[in-house]
């Protein structure tokens, strides 16, 4: 219709991601619109579970910005100016590919502004670029996955896309989140009139039958098998897929004369109970070769997405290609532009839990050392200081972790990501005594906390941190 909108797919962990991706691609194909995907990332794990330490600012929009940069380079200065113009300078810190566009070289560095105005300028630049893309390329679907992990700056940008903007620009945002992990801000966003919230329920028996038929290439799968899976998995699609993969891999299901049958001419009642999803995933990971297990352990420590340079730098295998190929064949890892990613975050969580605690320390050290090598090859602004800090902390190197946490806080504050800045400075201050940090370092981190709190509207807390900063610097208030 020439108008845009926002749709949020809300469901519990593990529900519906595969179907959502298929339906999104199908929707784009039917409507003849462009489809661009993005993903919000957790960066960290603590103990035996993944926690919410968020990805880099504007990470969900990186693929979109990379696509803008590619088009601008291919089509020249006129197209680049219409699409990006001076906004290339404002958005380049969040996607380095924009540095190579004709528009970047054609405009001066943006004026330095106070924090709140600078943040508003970034949001406005992204809004304008999305609108310019839709005007130049036509109706567009932007799919943003795992919005429960969205970084602060990205959420501000998404929230700014109000009814007026969407009425003028043919852009449809399809966002997903885990309903059990969202906060008040997410609920407030979903309550707006121009946002449609779609509650994704677990699959019924009919939908499980369609999924089984697709995976086994059967027009009409056995009804007793479908009923068994629907009952045992309670309609969780990831659980259904994992059980079928296990059953085929272990030859509990066998293909004979073009048909799938239960092994040894048995009935569905003779199939083993899947137990818990965690046990089922662990069973699949336990079937990997020793080399593939080493790779997946390192990958699990590094995160859901793994750059090839970091993974290969942290590995001690002489030839990891065969092991990585095995992980791709068994649908544990899948290739992407800069490396690999876990096919599902539940696989990463299960792989992480399987690594013994003492081995995790060694793997975190290897990961930190690999990142230190990468750090020498990129600008400090583009480096992921938070990831380096986390790995040094888990490697039991507080003196190295505290320095990286301080730099991560400075980086986040410079990017107007106040929540992330506070988390990094808090981690630095918590480690400061153990790491033997100087009073001047403590003063700097407390001052950073003060700025982040004040910019978040928490005036009293910000003043408390400002007083502590003065004390550490030797200038306590009377």
């Amino acid at each position: 219709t020439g108008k845009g909108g926002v749709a949020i797919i809300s469901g519990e962990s593990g529900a519906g991601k595969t179907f959502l991706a298929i339906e999104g691609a199908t929707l784009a194909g039917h409507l003849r619109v462009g489809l661009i995907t993005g993903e919000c990332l957790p960066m960290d794990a603590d103990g035996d579970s993944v926690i919410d330490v968020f990805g880099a600012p504007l990470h969900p929009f990186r693929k979109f910005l990379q696509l803008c940069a590619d088009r601008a380079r291919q089509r020249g200065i006129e197209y680049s100016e219409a699409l990006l113009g001076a906004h290339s300078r404002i958005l380049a810190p969040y996607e380095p590919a924009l540095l190579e566009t004709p528009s970047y070289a054609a405009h001066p560095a943006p004026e330095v502004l106070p924090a709140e105005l600078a943040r508003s300028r970034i949001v406005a630049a992204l809004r304008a670029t999305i609108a310019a893309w839709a005007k130049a390329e036509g109706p567009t679907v932007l799919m943003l996955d795992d919005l429960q992990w969205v970084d602060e700056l990205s959420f501000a940008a998404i929230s700014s896309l109000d009814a007026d903007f969407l009425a003028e620009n043919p852009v449809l945002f399809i966002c997903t989140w885990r309903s059990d992990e969202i906060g008040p801000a997410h609920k407030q966003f979903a309550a707006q009139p121009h946002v449609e919230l779609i509650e994704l329920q677990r699959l019924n028996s009919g939908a499980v039958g369609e999924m089984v038929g697709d995976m086994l290439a059967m027009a009409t799968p056995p009804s007793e098998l479908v009923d068994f899976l629907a009952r045992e998995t309670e309609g969780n699609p990831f659980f259904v897929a994992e059980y079928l993969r296990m059953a085929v891999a272990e030859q509990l299901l066998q293909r004979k004369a073009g048909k799938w049958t239960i092994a040894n001419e048995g009935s569905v009642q003779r199939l083993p109970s899947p137990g818990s999803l965690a046990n089922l995933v662990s069973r699949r990971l336990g079937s990997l070769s020793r080399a593939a297990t080493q790779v997946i352990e390192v990958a699990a420590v590094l995160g859901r997405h793994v750059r090839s340079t970091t993974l290969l730098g942290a590995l001690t295998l002489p030839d990891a290609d065969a092991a990585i190929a095995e992980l791709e064949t068994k649908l544990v890892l899948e290739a992407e532009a800069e490396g690999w990613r876990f096919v599902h975050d539940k696989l990463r969580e299960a792989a992480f839990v399987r690594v013994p605690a003492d081995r995790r320390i060694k793997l975190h050290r290897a990961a930190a050392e690999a990142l230190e090598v990468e750090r020498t090859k990129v600008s400090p602004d583009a480096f992921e200081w938070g990831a380096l800090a986390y790995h040094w902390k888990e490697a039991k190197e507080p003196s190295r972790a505290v320095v990286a946490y301080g730099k991560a806080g400075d980086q986040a504050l410079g990017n107007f990501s106040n929540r992330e800045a506070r988390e990094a400075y808090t981690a630095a201050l918590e480690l400061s005594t153990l790491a033997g940090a100087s009073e001047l370092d403590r003063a700097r981190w407390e001052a950073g906390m003060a700025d982040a709190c004040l910019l978040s509207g928490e005036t009293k807390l910000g003043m408390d941190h400002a007083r502590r900063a003065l004390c550490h610097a030797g200038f306590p208030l009377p």
Side-chain angles (χ1 to χ4, degrees), residues 8-308:
I8 299 171
I9 313 297
S10 178
E12 61 183 305
S13 302
K17 294 296 181 62
T18 303
F19 290 104
L20 178 63
I22 293 170
E23 290 301 327
T26 304
L27 170 71
H30 283 313
L31 298 181
R32 299 183 184 277
V33 299
L35 174 65
I36 304 172
T37 61
E39 185 176 17
C40 307
L41 298 177
M43 284 176 51
D44 239 342
D46 183 31
D48 288 340
S49 61
V50 172
I51 60 173
D52 295 347
V53 177
F54 302 93
L58 297 190
H59 188 280
F61 291 97
R62 280 199 66 192
K63 288 185 180 178
F64 168 69
L65 294 175
Q66 289 168 357
L67 200 55
C68 290
D70 290 343
R71 290 281 201 279
R73 287 195 301 267
Q74 293 165 1
R75 300 183 182 179
I77 184 65
E78 186 175 340
Y79 181 92
S80 183
E81 282 294 285
L83 180 63
L84 292 163
H87 299 142
S88 58
R89 285 274 184 173
I90 297 166
L91 298 173
Y94 308 97
E95 176 41 59
L98 294 172
L99 296 170
E100 307 300 325
T101 60
S103 293
Y104 185 88
H107 291 273
E111 177 187 0
V112 176
L113 296 176
E116 281 301 309
L117 291 176
R119 178 190 176 100
S120 298
R121 180 171 63 185
I122 294 166
V123 169
L126 184 59
R127 277 172 54 104
T129 304
I130 293 171
W133 175 273
K135 182 178 180 181
E137 301 289 335
T140 301
V141 175
L142 272 164
M143 292 185 64
L144 305 180
D145 201 12
D146 284 324
L147 209 65
Q148 75 278 357
W149 291 326
V150 68
D151 66 275
E152 188 176 9
L153 191 57
S154 294
F155 196 56
I158 295 167
S159 301
S160 76
L161 303 172
D162 54 20
D164 291 340
F165 176 89
L166 294 166
E168 296 172 2
N169 298 286
V171 181
L172 172 62
F173 283 82
I174 300 179
C175 308
T176 74
W177 65 38
R178 297 180 179 182
S179 55
D180 51 340
E181 296 185 26
I182 60 172
H186 294 79
K187 295 176 182 178
Q188 185 178 0
F189 173 61
Q192 297 179 87
H194 63 280
V195 178
E196 180 179 1
L197 182 64
I198 302 168
E199 295 285 353
L200 192 66
Q201 305 301 323
R202 292 199 172 205
L203 304 183
N204 59 27
S205 184
V208 170
E210 290 185 34
M211 184 174 180
V212 173
D214 286 343
M215 291 189 68
L216 298 182
M218 299 176 69
T220 307
S223 59
E224 58 176 355
L225 176 62
V226 172
D227 292 341
F228 169 81
L229 288 172
R231 181 178 66 253
E232 294 290 334
T233 65
E234 298 182 343
N236 184 310
F238 181 63
F239 206 164
V240 173
E242 282 300 299
Y243 188 84
L244 281 177
R245 289 192 185 105
M246 181 275 292
V248 172
E250 298 185 10
Q251 297 191 329
L252 301 174
L253 288 175
Q254 298 176 349
R255 194 166 180 84
K256 296 180 179 179
K259 295 182 178 181
W260 287 98
T261 61
I262 309 299
N264 301 320
E265 306 302 327
S267 68
V268 167
Q269 283 69 31
R270 296 183 61 181
L271 286 173
S273 171
S276 70
L277 178 58
N279 290 339
L280 194 59
V281 173
S282 182
R283 185 170 176 170
R284 178 147 75 103
L285 295 175
S287 69
L288 298 173
S289 68
R290 184 176 179 181
T293 299
Q294 291 183 48
V295 173
I296 209 64
E297 287 179 344
V298 175
V301 164
L302 288 172
R304 174 82 184 271
H305 292 252
V306 185
R307 282 195 301 271
S308 57

Side-chain angles (χ1 to χ4, degrees), residues 425 429 437-450 465-466 468-474:
Y425 287 133
L429 290 165
S438 69
E439 287 295 296
L440 182 58
D441 282 335
R442 288 187 176 93
R444 289 179 55 254
W445 299 330
E446 288 284 6
M449 281 288 286
H465 284 290
R468 292 175 201 160
L470 287 170
C471 288
H472 286 302

Side-chain angles (χ1 to χ4, degrees), residues 342-357:
F342 281 85
V343 171
H344 197 283
D345 52 345
K346 291 296 181 186
L347 288 170
R348 187 245 168 157
E349 291 173 15
F352 184 85
V353 170
R354 289 169 59 87
V355 182

Side-chain angles (χ1 to χ4, degrees), residues 306-430:
V306 185
R307 282 195 301 271
S308 57
T309 50
T310 313
L311 178 62
L312 297 175
L315 282 169
T316 55
L317 286 173
D319 182 12
D321 290 346
I324 292 172
E326 177 186 343
L327 292 166
E328 291 180 340
T329 300
K330 294 189 175 181
L331 299 178
V332 178
L333 293 181
E334 60 184 358
E336 56 180 9
E338 298 178 346
W340 296 272
R341 58 170 278 162
F342 281 85
V343 171
H344 197 283
D345 52 345
K346 291 296 181 186
L347 288 170
R348 187 245 168 157
E349 291 173 15
F352 184 85
V353 170
R354 289 169 59 87
V355 182
D358 56 343
R359 177 156 171 75
R360 284 184 204 166
I361 295 173
K362 297 178 182 178
L363 295 179
H364 280 296
R365 177 180 293 278
E369 290 172 348
L371 286 171
E372 291 282 12
V373 173
E374 290 185 35
R375 183 171 66 85
T376 63
K377 301 176 182 178
V378 299
S379 69
D381 291 340
F383 184 68
E384 295 179 0
W385 289 103
L388 178 64
Y390 163 68
H391 289 302
W392 278 131
K393 183 188 75 171
E394 296 300 311
K396 310 302 181 187
E397 291 280 357
S399 60
R400 304 184 78 165
V402 77
V403 172
Y405 270 126
K407 291 185 179 295
D410 296 343
Q411 184 182 52
L413 195 63
N415 288 330
F416 317 107
S417 299
N418 302 318
R419 179 183 65 196
E420 289 87 341
R422 289 170 63 174
E423 290 171 352
Y425 287 133
T426 297
L429 290 165
E430 288 175 348

